[in-house]
Amino acid sequence: MGADDPEGYALDRIVGMLLESGLDVRTSVDTDGLTDPASTMHLDADVVILDWRLPGAADAVSAIREVDHDVGIFLIAEPSSLGGIPVDTLSMVNEYVWLMDDSPSFIAGRIDASARRYRRDVLPPMFSALAGFSEDYEYSWHTPGHTAGTAFLKSPAGRLFYDFFGEQLFRSDLSISVGELGSLLDHSGPIGDAERYASDVFGSDLTYFVTNGTSTSNRVVHMSVTPPGGVELVDRNCHKSIEHALTMSHAVPVYMMPTRNGYGIMGPIPPAEMSEETVRDRIMDCPLLGGVRHKDRPTIAVVTNSTYDGVCYDAGAVEDILGEVTDCVHFDEAWYAYARFNPLYAGRYAMRDPGSTGEDRPTVFATQSTHKLLAALSQASMIHVRQGRHHVEPSLFNETYMMHASTSPQYAIIASMDVSSKMMDTGGRALTQESIDEAVRFRQTMARIRADSEGWWFRVWQPEHLDVPEIGEGVRFEDVPHERLVSDPSCWTMHPGDAWHGFGDIPDGWAMLDPIKVTVLTPGMDDGGNYTDFGIPAAIVVAFLDQRGIVNEKSGDYNILFLFSMGVTKGKWGTLVSEFFEFRRLFEEGAVLDDVLPDLVARYPERYSGMTLPHLAREMHEQIRRTRQTQVANRAFGMLPAQAMTPARAYSELIRGNVEQVKLDDIDDRVVATGVVPYPPGVPMLMPGERTGKRGGPTLTYLRALQEFDRRFPGFEHDSHGVEFRDGHYWIHCVRG
Ligand SMILES: *Cc1c(COP(=O)(O)O)cnc(C)c1O
């Protein structure tokens, strides 16, 4: 329609009135850029008015609705065309504009009201109250003592600090003396509302905000259920904070052992490790329980879901099995808060169906680092509870909660969790889909390059062939339609005996690989975990990428992990692919390290200057091959060390000073006072109070291999918790006597 026909004229008048009332109006003559959620995500509109007669209008309505279920959508149509609009579209539209029937001022009024309502409601409860409060410009006589930042202005460093972060940060940095915002410790007021809102969004019965990371959330959960001397069933692939929780609650841990593949990537815990029989045996055999207390039931079982490498479980099946041995199941979902928002993860996360609450089910806890893969400030974390046999009584649970909370929580962190909930509520599906889409594009591109390459190329840890219903069996990964890979979980589930995952005969569907956690494999190993003649240890590629400003999440001997988080921008991975090409080119040319890794050469010129990239790769590969580092690690991580004392007892020896630092070469069957956690894979090899085993045993052999590696390759040292590398030796704290 044009400005000279009656409809165009009416529309112009409406736009004019909207502008007059202070709204900003953007117009377009087509639906380009509105028909897929990835672009509507950036629409930034308070209300959308769409002409039904435009091609793509129906797609635009659903794309807009997918990223935002609150924004008002007005459809311009003729009353007679209403019957032709699909029911799906009808259900997503808020109002209709009959240009020829209603007056322009009436229509403009409706649109204006909708935009204002949206503006008012778009903010989640706590952030809304905080934003309102910091606009009020009160005089404050309470902490924090910088009083809206003014204290900083009294010194030059303070002024620079103030300018760097800007006024708003300081105006909104409040203390619990500000009653209007409620209290995190009592879960009251707007802060309590925000927790209840998050509980709705994340599907729990109860949700708690924690401003000191999932490290603290884990400690709260475990301390709330385990009395001193209680038994806990623990995933050996657990985060350090679980060790701390065990220490603080004086628990006696027994462990479930996850699988590992030839690359040293940790896999799922097999169901047999969770079974009543195994758990009973572990408890019977536990020297710390004296062998006779076999009636002890674990107070809680904790499983890391997903693992760092993206292995996620059939959570219902895990609950069923663990529910036989314990009343509380804890899923540590630090890396996995998004799972609920995309059907690809159906059934694979803790807070699945609030309706399944019941006396016959175990109580389920999930702890999530909101800051890790959603959009929130560092340290933002949530505890979610689904009630079951162990009833979580809020007033009692809160005693543990407060023990770990500060009485001065950071309000910006709390507000960021509130906003994160809102984002996932309105656009969770589209946001997660974008990460998945990008990760799959990267994965297929890498596979395609590999298929087309004459020489070597990086592999990605994923199935190489898939059976695709309409296409056939054994379709190459790169040829599987993108649409299927991003939406069909069966492309990612691990089938028993598949060579690519290497976790053996795990039951079909027990575990799935999360596509957004992408492990790139460097040459050097085959699927069976045997070294190949040609190898490029991951450490070298990591150092190269680092030099180019690309920082990965973590790496192993021949694998590097990249996360496709929600912050990923379209095509960001293109740069990564380019750098891989560049690495290969430099490698093939035999470039010298002085050019490729200048920072490393500057630090250790006599070691590396003049050496070529292939030379370093060969030397390092030979080193790993000779000590069989990866296989020895698999043996060390594949057995449970003997327990001499609980983590709590080891800790008490430590603070009593009854410990000594011992050179690794001198250690023979000692009890460690601190956990020993080599990176990679960041999983405890020894928990505090466990025995190292004999000098020739797998644990000490592995640590000696790492020590030898670190001596030979300065600048590539492993970063192992609980181990100090000093004067060319590993030193470990052991209990005296
Ligand atoms: C990072 C992590 C934690 C701790 O989370 P923070 O938010 O960093 O304190 C706990 N568990 C797992 C599995 C993690 O990876």
Side-chain angles (χ1 to χ4, degrees), residues 212-216 218 239 241 304 308 332 334-335 369 371-372 381:
N212 194 25
T214 299
S215 304
T216 293
N218 286 349
H239 186 255
S241 55
T304 307
Y308 308 93
D332 183 343
W335 291 95
S369 294
H371 68 94
K372 276 186 180 164
S381 171

Side-chain angles (χ1 to χ4, degrees), residues 16 82 205 210 221 251 309 336 394 530 590 596 716:
L82 209 50
D205 291 327
V210 174
V221 168
D309 306 288
Y336 200 46
N530 306 301
V596 184
F716 292 98

Side-chain angles (χ1 to χ4, degrees), residues 9 60 91 113 191 249 267 275 277 303 313 328 387 445 509 537 544 548 610 618 670 716 730:
Y9 177 71
S91 71
I191 293 179
S249 59
S275 73
E277 201 186 340
V303 172
Y313 290 86
C328 296
Q387 297 284 15
T445 305
F544 168 80
R548 306 294 186 108
R618 200 172 333 119
R670 294 288 300 258
F716 292 98
Y730 275 14

